[in-house]
mmCIF file of all heavy atoms in Angstrom:
data_model
loop_
_atom_site.group_PDB
_atom_site.id
_atom_site.type_symbol
_atom_site.label_atom_id
_atom_site.label_comp_id
_atom_site.label_asym_id
_atom_site.label_seq_id
_atom_site.Cartn_x
_atom_site.Cartn_y
_atom_site.Cartn_z
ATOM 1 N N PHE A 50 -54.813 192.371 14.679
ATOM 2 C CA PHE A 50 -53.516 192.056 14.919
ATOM 3 C C PHE A 50 -52.851 191.145 13.852
ATOM 4 O O PHE A 50 -51.574 191.128 13.637
ATOM 5 C CB PHE A 50 -53.254 191.437 16.262
ATOM 6 C CG PHE A 50 -53.225 192.471 17.468
ATOM 7 C CD1 PHE A 50 -54.404 193.012 17.916
ATOM 8 C CD2 PHE A 50 -51.962 192.852 17.993
ATOM 9 C CE1 PHE A 50 -54.333 194.032 18.808
ATOM 10 C CE2 PHE A 50 -51.897 193.824 18.956
ATOM 11 C CZ PHE A 50 -53.158 194.355 19.341
ATOM 12 N N PRO A 70 -54.755 197.565 14.456
ATOM 13 C CA PRO A 70 -55.436 197.551 15.776
ATOM 14 C C PRO A 70 -55.762 199.005 16.367
ATOM 15 O O PRO A 70 -56.782 199.210 16.845
ATOM 16 C CB PRO A 70 -54.441 196.916 16.667
ATOM 17 C CG PRO A 70 -53.435 196.244 15.838
ATOM 18 C CD PRO A 70 -53.478 196.768 14.457
ATOM 19 N N HIS A 71 -54.898 200.005 16.049
ATOM 20 C CA HIS A 71 -55.088 201.288 16.606
ATOM 21 C C HIS A 71 -56.297 201.950 15.958
ATOM 22 O O HIS A 71 -56.990 202.685 16.648
ATOM 23 C CB HIS A 71 -53.832 202.155 16.564
ATOM 24 C CG HIS A 71 -53.298 202.446 15.277
ATOM 25 N ND1 HIS A 71 -53.680 203.585 14.488
ATOM 26 C CD2 HIS A 71 -52.519 201.736 14.332
ATOM 27 C CE1 HIS A 71 -53.117 203.628 13.301
ATOM 28 N NE2 HIS A 71 -52.383 202.502 13.168
ATOM 29 N N CYS A 74 -59.343 200.149 17.440
ATOM 30 C CA CYS A 74 -59.602 200.660 18.833
ATOM 31 C C CYS A 74 -60.221 201.982 18.810
ATOM 32 O O CYS A 74 -61.221 202.274 19.557
ATOM 33 C CB CYS A 74 -58.197 200.608 19.583
ATOM 34 S SG CYS A 74 -58.407 201.251 21.224
ATOM 35 N N ILE A 79 -61.999 196.845 21.355
ATOM 36 C CA ILE A 79 -60.630 196.622 21.908
ATOM 37 C C ILE A 79 -60.616 195.228 22.398
ATOM 38 O O ILE A 79 -61.587 194.587 22.889
ATOM 39 C CB ILE A 79 -60.412 197.628 23.086
ATOM 40 C CG1 ILE A 79 -58.937 197.540 23.464
ATOM 41 C CG2 ILE A 79 -61.303 197.377 24.161
ATOM 42 C CD1 ILE A 79 -58.473 198.695 24.308
ATOM 43 N N PHE A 82 -55.613 190.801 26.668
ATOM 44 C CA PHE A 82 -54.669 189.660 26.337
ATOM 45 C C PHE A 82 -54.800 188.560 27.463
ATOM 46 O O PHE A 82 -55.049 188.899 28.608
ATOM 47 C CB PHE A 82 -53.243 190.150 26.341
ATOM 48 C CG PHE A 82 -52.907 191.071 25.106
ATOM 49 C CD1 PHE A 82 -53.221 192.375 25.170
ATOM 50 C CD2 PHE A 82 -52.379 190.478 24.073
ATOM 51 C CE1 PHE A 82 -52.995 193.213 24.147
ATOM 52 C CE2 PHE A 82 -52.135 191.343 22.954
ATOM 53 C CZ PHE A 82 -52.374 192.655 23.011
ATOM 54 N N GLN A 86 -50.309 191.972 30.496
ATOM 55 C CA GLN A 86 -49.056 192.627 30.366
ATOM 56 C C GLN A 86 -49.123 194.085 30.839
ATOM 57 O O GLN A 86 -49.343 195.001 30.060
ATOM 58 C CB GLN A 86 -48.553 192.562 28.895
ATOM 59 C CG GLN A 86 -48.440 191.182 28.284
ATOM 60 C CD GLN A 86 -47.166 190.511 28.761
ATOM 61 O OE1 GLN A 86 -46.410 191.026 29.574
ATOM 62 N NE2 GLN A 86 -46.892 189.327 28.196
ATOM 63 N N PHE A 88 -47.887 197.737 31.927
ATOM 64 C CA PHE A 88 -46.576 198.489 31.622
ATOM 65 C C PHE A 88 -45.945 198.681 32.827
ATOM 66 O O PHE A 88 -46.267 199.469 33.767
ATOM 67 C CB PHE A 88 -47.040 199.893 30.990
ATOM 68 C CG PHE A 88 -47.884 199.781 29.737
ATOM 69 C CD1 PHE A 88 -49.140 200.407 29.628
ATOM 70 C CD2 PHE A 88 -47.423 199.021 28.701
ATOM 71 C CE1 PHE A 88 -49.819 200.363 28.518
ATOM 72 C CE2 PHE A 88 -48.259 198.928 27.529
ATOM 73 C CZ PHE A 88 -49.518 199.580 27.443
ATOM 74 N N ALA A 89 -44.754 197.940 33.034
ATOM 75 C CA ALA A 89 -44.113 197.726 34.312
ATOM 76 C C ALA A 89 -43.643 199.024 34.835
ATOM 77 O O ALA A 89 -43.560 199.310 36.056
ATOM 78 C CB ALA A 89 -42.983 196.731 34.256
ATOM 79 N N GLY A 90 -43.059 200.020 34.096
ATOM 80 C CA GLY A 90 -42.423 201.136 34.583
ATOM 81 C C GLY A 90 -43.492 202.284 34.976
ATOM 82 O O GLY A 90 -43.078 203.320 35.422
ATOM 83 N N LEU A 91 -44.686 202.012 34.864
ATOM 84 C CA LEU A 91 -45.796 202.983 35.306
ATOM 85 C C LEU A 91 -46.533 202.561 36.488
ATOM 86 O O LEU A 91 -46.705 201.340 36.761
ATOM 87 C CB LEU A 91 -46.698 203.239 34.099
ATOM 88 C CG LEU A 91 -46.038 203.635 32.793
ATOM 89 C CD1 LEU A 91 -47.013 203.738 31.635
ATOM 90 C CD2 LEU A 91 -45.386 205.058 32.920
ATOM 91 N N THR A 92 -47.228 203.512 37.069
ATOM 92 C CA THR A 92 -48.154 203.105 38.165
ATOM 93 C C THR A 92 -49.466 202.636 37.552
ATOM 94 O O THR A 92 -49.624 202.696 36.380
ATOM 95 C CB THR A 92 -48.509 204.441 39.058
ATOM 96 O OG1 THR A 92 -49.191 205.314 38.205
ATOM 97 C CG2 THR A 92 -47.291 205.078 39.670
ATOM 98 N N GLU A 95 -51.230 205.486 35.937
ATOM 99 C CA GLU A 95 -50.685 205.772 34.684
ATOM 100 C C GLU A 95 -50.896 204.744 33.585
ATOM 101 O O GLU A 95 -51.044 205.053 32.413
ATOM 102 C CB GLU A 95 -49.198 206.046 34.796
ATOM 103 C CG GLU A 95 -48.787 207.310 35.569
ATOM 104 C CD GLU A 95 -47.320 207.291 35.996
ATOM 105 O OE1 GLU A 95 -46.706 206.272 36.230
ATOM 106 O OE2 GLU A 95 -46.786 208.496 36.035
ATOM 107 N N VAL A 99 -52.845 205.431 29.950
ATOM 108 C CA VAL A 99 -52.391 205.222 28.565
ATOM 109 C C VAL A 99 -53.701 204.855 27.696
ATOM 110 O O VAL A 99 -53.710 205.249 26.550
ATOM 111 C CB VAL A 99 -51.370 203.997 28.534
ATOM 112 C CG1 VAL A 99 -51.080 203.574 27.119
ATOM 113 C CG2 VAL A 99 -50.136 204.371 29.258
ATOM 114 N N TYR A 102 -55.635 208.154 27.226
ATOM 115 C CA TYR A 102 -54.957 209.290 26.334
ATOM 116 C C TYR A 102 -55.598 209.132 24.873
ATOM 117 O O TYR A 102 -55.565 210.094 24.131
ATOM 118 C CB TYR A 102 -53.541 208.953 26.202
ATOM 119 C CG TYR A 102 -52.760 209.718 27.313
ATOM 120 C CD1 TYR A 102 -51.818 209.074 28.154
ATOM 121 C CD2 TYR A 102 -52.744 211.109 27.343
ATOM 122 C CE1 TYR A 102 -51.070 209.734 29.052
ATOM 123 C CE2 TYR A 102 -51.978 211.841 28.341
ATOM 124 C CZ TYR A 102 -51.151 211.108 29.106
ATOM 125 O OH TYR A 102 -50.451 211.734 30.163
ATOM 126 N N LEU A 103 -56.303 208.024 24.610
ATOM 127 C CA LEU A 103 -56.788 207.900 23.174
ATOM 128 C C LEU A 103 -57.767 208.947 22.811
ATOM 129 O O LEU A 103 -57.592 209.520 21.858
ATOM 130 C CB LEU A 103 -57.499 206.522 23.105
ATOM 131 C CG LEU A 103 -58.000 206.226 21.693
ATOM 132 C CD1 LEU A 103 -56.913 206.105 20.727
ATOM 133 C CD2 LEU A 103 -58.827 204.843 21.650
ATOM 134 N N HIS A 106 -56.185 214.117 25.258
ATOM 135 C CA HIS A 106 -54.842 214.330 25.050
ATOM 136 C C HIS A 106 -54.045 215.030 26.144
ATOM 137 O O HIS A 106 -52.855 214.972 26.244
ATOM 138 C CB HIS A 106 -54.659 215.149 23.714
ATOM 139 C CG HIS A 106 -55.121 214.431 22.502
ATOM 140 N ND1 HIS A 106 -54.502 214.565 21.264
ATOM 141 C CD2 HIS A 106 -55.906 213.368 22.404
ATOM 142 C CE1 HIS A 106 -55.119 213.753 20.377
ATOM 143 N NE2 HIS A 106 -55.955 212.919 21.051
ATOM 144 N N ARG A 108 -52.714 215.534 29.896
ATOM 145 C CA ARG A 108 -52.338 214.585 31.037
ATOM 146 C C ARG A 108 -53.279 214.604 32.135
ATOM 147 O O ARG A 108 -53.733 213.625 32.687
ATOM 148 C CB ARG A 108 -50.896 214.858 31.459
ATOM 149 C CG ARG A 108 -50.528 213.903 32.685
ATOM 150 C CD ARG A 108 -49.086 214.120 33.022
ATOM 151 N NE ARG A 108 -48.902 213.507 34.368
ATOM 152 C CZ ARG A 108 -48.348 212.257 34.515
ATOM 153 N NH1 ARG A 108 -47.987 211.498 33.550
ATOM 154 N NH2 ARG A 108 -48.204 211.791 35.795
ATOM 155 N N ASP A 129 -51.717 204.435 42.963
ATOM 156 C CA ASP A 129 -50.398 204.975 43.043
ATOM 157 C C ASP A 129 -49.318 203.858 43.141
ATOM 158 O O ASP A 129 -48.145 204.187 43.114
ATOM 159 C CB ASP A 129 -50.201 205.918 44.152
ATOM 160 C CG ASP A 129 -51.035 207.116 43.890
ATOM 161 O OD1 ASP A 129 -51.191 207.541 42.775
ATOM 162 O OD2 ASP A 129 -51.571 207.770 44.959
ATOM 163 N N ARG A 147 -57.797 199.436 31.609
ATOM 164 C CA ARG A 147 -57.019 200.073 30.591
ATOM 165 C C ARG A 147 -57.908 200.117 29.312
ATOM 166 O O ARG A 147 -58.038 201.119 28.585
ATOM 167 C CB ARG A 147 -55.814 199.312 30.224
ATOM 168 C CG ARG A 147 -54.577 199.962 30.860
ATOM 169 C CD ARG A 147 -53.270 199.394 30.348
ATOM 170 N NE ARG A 147 -53.245 198.106 29.817
ATOM 171 C CZ ARG A 147 -52.216 197.172 29.735
ATOM 172 N NH1 ARG A 147 -51.012 197.610 30.340
ATOM 173 N NH2 ARG A 147 -52.251 196.061 29.279
ATOM 174 N N TYR B 181 -43.931 213.633 30.759
ATOM 175 C CA TYR B 181 -45.232 213.718 31.326
ATOM 176 C C TYR B 181 -46.321 214.082 30.312
ATOM 177 O O TYR B 181 -47.402 214.565 30.767
ATOM 178 C CB TYR B 181 -45.165 214.706 32.535
ATOM 179 C CG TYR B 181 -44.457 214.142 33.639
ATOM 180 C CD1 TYR B 181 -43.136 214.693 33.906
ATOM 181 C CD2 TYR B 181 -44.837 212.993 34.367
ATOM 182 C CE1 TYR B 181 -42.315 214.097 34.841
ATOM 183 C CE2 TYR B 181 -44.042 212.383 35.302
ATOM 184 C CZ TYR B 181 -42.837 213.002 35.668
ATOM 185 O OH TYR B 181 -42.046 212.452 36.655
ATOM 186 N N SER B 182 -46.040 213.888 29.021
ATOM 187 C CA SER B 182 -47.045 214.197 28.002
ATOM 188 C C SER B 182 -47.675 212.922 27.588
ATOM 189 O O SER B 182 -47.242 211.718 27.887
ATOM 190 C CB SER B 182 -46.493 214.969 26.863
ATOM 191 O OG SER B 182 -45.593 213.990 26.106
ATOM 192 N N ARG B 183 -48.725 213.081 26.836
ATOM 193 C CA ARG B 183 -49.394 211.897 26.120
ATOM 194 C C ARG B 183 -48.213 211.060 25.326
ATOM 195 O O ARG B 183 -48.167 209.827 25.380
ATOM 196 C CB ARG B 183 -50.413 212.379 25.191
ATOM 197 C CG ARG B 183 -51.103 211.283 24.381
ATOM 198 C CD ARG B 183 -52.139 212.030 23.572
ATOM 199 N NE ARG B 183 -53.070 211.114 22.990
ATOM 200 C CZ ARG B 183 -53.227 210.903 21.571
ATOM 201 N NH1 ARG B 183 -52.353 211.605 20.822
ATOM 202 N NH2 ARG B 183 -54.125 210.121 21.110
ATOM 203 N N ALA B 186 -46.080 209.051 27.572
ATOM 204 C CA ALA B 186 -46.717 207.852 28.150
ATOM 205 C C ALA B 186 -46.762 206.792 27.022
ATOM 206 O O ALA B 186 -46.606 205.657 27.308
ATOM 207 C CB ALA B 186 -48.124 208.225 28.646
ATOM 208 N N TYR B 187 -47.074 207.162 25.788
ATOM 209 C CA TYR B 187 -47.211 206.240 24.725
ATOM 210 C C TYR B 187 -45.806 205.638 24.435
ATOM 211 O O TYR B 187 -45.732 204.379 24.130
ATOM 212 C CB TYR B 187 -47.746 206.964 23.461
ATOM 213 C CG TYR B 187 -49.216 206.987 23.388
ATOM 214 C CD1 TYR B 187 -49.953 206.633 24.347
ATOM 215 C CD2 TYR B 187 -49.767 207.520 22.281
ATOM 216 C CE1 TYR B 187 -51.271 206.810 24.391
ATOM 217 C CE2 TYR B 187 -51.168 207.592 22.148
ATOM 218 C CZ TYR B 187 -51.932 207.168 23.245
ATOM 219 O OH TYR B 187 -53.278 207.276 23.171
ATOM 220 N N ILE B 189 -43.319 205.100 26.581
ATOM 221 C CA ILE B 189 -43.094 204.168 27.616
ATOM 222 C C ILE B 189 -43.903 202.932 27.380
ATOM 223 O O ILE B 189 -43.471 201.792 27.650
ATOM 224 C CB ILE B 189 -43.370 204.775 29.009
ATOM 225 C CG1 ILE B 189 -42.328 205.888 29.246
ATOM 226 C CG2 ILE B 189 -43.269 203.709 30.137
ATOM 227 C CD1 ILE B 189 -42.560 206.714 30.476
ATOM 228 N N ALA B 190 -45.249 203.065 27.016
ATOM 229 C CA ALA B 190 -46.099 201.907 26.790
ATOM 230 C C ALA B 190 -45.424 201.017 25.674
ATOM 231 O O ALA B 190 -45.391 199.792 25.789
ATOM 232 C CB ALA B 190 -47.402 202.431 26.390
ATOM 233 N N GLU B 193 -42.627 199.083 27.130
ATOM 234 C CA GLU B 193 -42.947 198.026 27.959
ATOM 235 C C GLU B 193 -43.673 196.857 27.411
ATOM 236 O O GLU B 193 -43.454 195.698 27.683
ATOM 237 C CB GLU B 193 -43.750 198.589 29.143
ATOM 238 C CG GLU B 193 -43.134 199.587 30.042
ATOM 239 C CD GLU B 193 -42.013 199.001 30.842
ATOM 240 O OE1 GLU B 193 -41.984 197.686 31.064
ATOM 241 O OE2 GLU B 193 -41.027 199.699 31.248
ATOM 242 N N ASN B 194 -44.566 197.184 26.376
ATOM 243 C CA ASN B 194 -45.239 196.108 25.715
ATOM 244 C C ASN B 194 -45.914 196.681 24.434
ATOM 245 O O ASN B 194 -46.983 197.298 24.444
ATOM 246 C CB ASN B 194 -46.329 195.589 26.621
ATOM 247 C CG ASN B 194 -46.851 194.342 26.065
ATOM 248 O OD1 ASN B 194 -47.126 194.258 24.860
ATOM 249 N ND2 ASN B 194 -47.009 193.236 26.886
ATOM 250 N N ASP B 196 -47.474 195.203 21.907
ATOM 251 C CA ASP B 196 -48.617 194.687 21.504
ATOM 252 C C ASP B 196 -49.779 195.283 22.376
ATOM 253 O O ASP B 196 -50.889 195.661 21.918
ATOM 254 C CB ASP B 196 -48.751 193.094 21.690
ATOM 255 C CG ASP B 196 -48.182 192.464 20.412
ATOM 256 O OD1 ASP B 196 -48.220 193.099 19.321
ATOM 257 O OD2 ASP B 196 -47.882 191.353 20.389
ATOM 258 N N ALA B 197 -49.559 195.256 23.724
ATOM 259 C CA ALA B 197 -50.613 196.033 24.525
ATOM 260 C C ALA B 197 -50.745 197.383 24.093
ATOM 261 O O ALA B 197 -52.017 197.920 24.140
ATOM 262 C CB ALA B 197 -50.122 195.968 25.960
ATOM 263 N N ALA B 198 -49.783 198.131 23.785
ATOM 264 C CA ALA B 198 -49.896 199.517 23.343
ATOM 265 C C ALA B 198 -50.783 199.564 22.071
ATOM 266 O O ALA B 198 -51.573 200.466 21.958
ATOM 267 C CB ALA B 198 -48.417 200.065 23.133
ATOM 268 N N ARG B 199 -50.477 198.713 21.226
ATOM 269 C CA ARG B 199 -51.251 198.758 19.894
ATOM 270 C C ARG B 199 -52.761 198.453 20.095
ATOM 271 O O ARG B 199 -53.555 199.113 19.596
ATOM 272 C CB ARG B 199 -50.776 197.607 18.961
ATOM 273 C CG ARG B 199 -49.383 197.924 18.386
ATOM 274 C CD ARG B 199 -49.183 197.247 17.060
ATOM 275 N NE ARG B 199 -49.120 195.758 17.111
ATOM 276 C CZ ARG B 199 -49.458 195.070 16.032
ATOM 277 N NH1 ARG B 199 -49.843 195.572 14.900
ATOM 278 N NH2 ARG B 199 -49.417 193.681 16.259
ATOM 279 N N ALA B 200 -52.927 197.562 21.068
ATOM 280 C CA ALA B 200 -54.439 197.278 21.455
ATOM 281 C C ALA B 200 -55.027 198.478 21.944
ATOM 282 O O ALA B 200 -56.280 198.680 21.790
ATOM 283 C CB ALA B 200 -54.478 196.044 22.395
ATOM 284 N N LEU B 201 -54.315 199.355 22.694
ATOM 285 C CA LEU B 201 -54.886 200.541 23.350
ATOM 286 C C LEU B 201 -54.991 201.761 22.410
ATOM 287 O O LEU B 201 -55.252 202.829 22.867
ATOM 288 C CB LEU B 201 -54.078 200.886 24.551
ATOM 289 C CG LEU B 201 -54.212 199.900 25.715
ATOM 290 C CD1 LEU B 201 -53.168 200.154 26.886
ATOM 291 C CD2 LEU B 201 -55.597 199.828 26.279
ATOM 292 N N GLY B 202 -54.847 201.490 21.116
ATOM 293 C CA GLY B 202 -55.147 202.509 20.167
ATOM 294 C C GLY B 202 -54.006 203.282 19.791
ATOM 295 O O GLY B 202 -54.052 204.390 19.191
ATOM 296 N N ILE B 203 -52.698 202.821 20.020
ATOM 297 C CA ILE B 203 -51.445 203.559 19.766
ATOM 298 C C ILE B 203 -50.926 203.062 18.457
ATOM 299 O O ILE B 203 -50.732 201.950 18.216
ATOM 300 C CB ILE B 203 -50.502 203.394 20.946
ATOM 301 C CG1 ILE B 203 -51.064 203.771 22.333
ATOM 302 C CG2 ILE B 203 -49.214 204.176 20.593
ATOM 303 C CD1 ILE B 203 -50.053 203.515 23.477
ATOM 304 N N ASP B 204 -50.672 204.053 17.577
ATOM 305 C CA ASP B 204 -50.037 203.828 16.361
ATOM 306 C C ASP B 204 -48.539 203.713 16.641
ATOM 307 O O ASP B 204 -47.803 204.687 16.571
ATOM 308 C CB ASP B 204 -50.452 204.981 15.354
ATOM 309 C CG ASP B 204 -49.746 204.637 14.043
ATOM 310 O OD1 ASP B 204 -48.941 203.717 13.877
ATOM 311 O OD2 ASP B 204 -50.144 205.385 13.013
ATOM 312 N N ASP B 322 -44.937 208.255 41.686
ATOM 313 C CA ASP B 322 -43.999 207.141 41.629
ATOM 314 C C ASP B 322 -42.972 207.154 40.632
ATOM 315 O O ASP B 322 -42.145 206.253 40.417
ATOM 316 C CB ASP B 322 -44.862 205.807 41.377
ATOM 317 C CG ASP B 322 -44.732 204.916 42.678
ATOM 318 O OD1 ASP B 322 -43.635 204.735 43.090
ATOM 319 O OD2 ASP B 322 -45.783 204.548 43.177
ATOM 320 N N ASP B 323 -42.852 208.362 39.865
ATOM 321 C CA ASP B 323 -41.789 208.434 38.851
ATOM 322 C C ASP B 323 -40.459 208.648 39.394
ATOM 323 O O ASP B 323 -40.264 209.094 40.515
ATOM 324 C CB ASP B 323 -42.239 209.568 37.883
ATOM 325 C CG ASP B 323 -43.535 209.328 37.278
ATOM 326 O OD1 ASP B 323 -43.586 208.585 36.205
ATOM 327 O OD2 ASP B 323 -44.455 209.832 37.763
#
Side-chain angles (χ1 to χ4, degrees):
Chain A
F50 279 78
H71 63 93
C74 179
I79 189 167
F82 291 84
Q86 302 282 3
F88 301 126
L91 301 176
T92 64
E95 286 170 329
V99 172
Y102 272 122
L103 183 62
H106 291 205
R108 177 177 165 95
D129 292 328
R147 261 189 341 205
Chain B
Y181 293 107
S182 70
R183 177 181 192 243
Y187 276 9
I189 294 171
E193 295 295 335
N194 191 316
D196 271 340
R199 290 206 295 156
L201 292 171
I203 302 175
D204 183 348
D322 246 309
D323 300 280

